[in-house]
Amino acid sequence: MIQPPLAIAKLITLALSLAVAYLAYHGYRRNGSEPMLYVSVGFVFIGAGAICEGLIYLVFDTSIESAGLIQALLVSSGMLLVLASLRK
């Protein structure tokens, strides 16, 4: 069972990452800046990674190592997208 303080922290992380993603997407739409689209999608991946470990562990009854690997892959993908936006 997930502990309430951990769940709250993960939900705050999700909300903040989605807020950044929204603002970046708004910037993309306003200016047509392709790097902002990468930032937006990257932060969606980072936010999804913030909550997926616990959900995968609880819902699919996997090992914590498998759930952690999926989380790391999602967050890493998001970071790569943000990094790609900085290179453009």
Side-chain angles (χ1 to χ4, degrees):
M1 176 116 194
I2 193 163
Q3 300 299 317
L6 179 60
I8 290 168
K10 287 189 174 279
L11 288 175
I12 289 170
T13 303
L14 175 64
L16 290 173
S17 67
L18 292 179
V20 171
Y22 171 76
L23 291 173
Y25 182 73
H26 183 67
Y28 161 72
R29 293 284 307 242
R30 184 177 55 232
N31 300 322
S33 174
E34 187 178 334
M36 292 305 283
L37 182 61
Y38 283 97
V39 171
S40 178
V41 174
F43 272 93
V44 168
F45 274 78
I46 291 168
I51 62 165
C52 77
E53 182 179 19
L55 289 175
I56 290 170
Y57 179 70
L58 291 173
V59 173
F60 297 110
D61 195 33
T62 64
S63 68
I64 195 70
E65 290 84 11
S66 297
L69 176 63
I70 293 169
Q71 178 200 21
L73 289 172
L74 278 172
V75 172
S76 296
S77 298
M79 292 297 218
L80 282 172
L81 286 166
V82 172
L83 181 63
S85 77
L86 296 173
R87 301 283 301 161
K88 291 196 175 263

